[in-house]
Amino acid sequence: MRELVRTNDAVLISAIEALLDGANIAHLVVDQNMSVLEGSIGIFPRRILVGEDEVQAARRLLEDAGFGNELRPHVD
């Protein structure tokens, strides 16, 4: 799996998840349970991961939706 987005913004995570769900792109949000350790103040970023075979489609989807500046640098 590849990291697509890393952010502390819960609303942004929800929006991106909705886009990925709508496009049937499987994804995983990790580090959500870190809020238990941090006291729910949003210090630790959450990461959205997608499978290797769907990275390009997910990146294109987010760029087209105006979230291109939120994408992690693409590394081959």
Side-chain angles (χ1 to χ4, degrees):
M1 295 199 88
R2 288 260 188 104
E3 182 178 352
L4 192 62
V5 173
R6 182 184 300 183
T7 183
N8 296 15
D9 187 337
V11 175
L12 178 61
I13 290 171
S14 295
I16 290 172
E17 280 193 290
L19 285 169
L20 294 172
D21 284 340
N24 293 317
I25 296 175
H27 62 281
L28 180 64
V29 179
V30 295
D31 302 328
Q32 292 185 81
N33 294 327
M34 291 300 289
S35 64
V36 173
L37 298 175
E38 69 178 60
S40 298
I41 57 175
I43 295 173
F44 295 110
R46 281 55 166 178
R47 296 176 294 145
I48 299 176
L49 308 177
V50 296
E52 292 284 336
D53 58 332
E54 296 186 297
V55 170
Q56 294 297 359
R59 290 182 69 84
R60 189 168 40 256
L61 175 69
L62 295 185
E63 287 170 354
D64 290 348
F67 294 116
N69 61 325
E70 300 295 337
L71 292 168
R72 300 296 289 175
H74 183 67
V75 179
D76 283 327

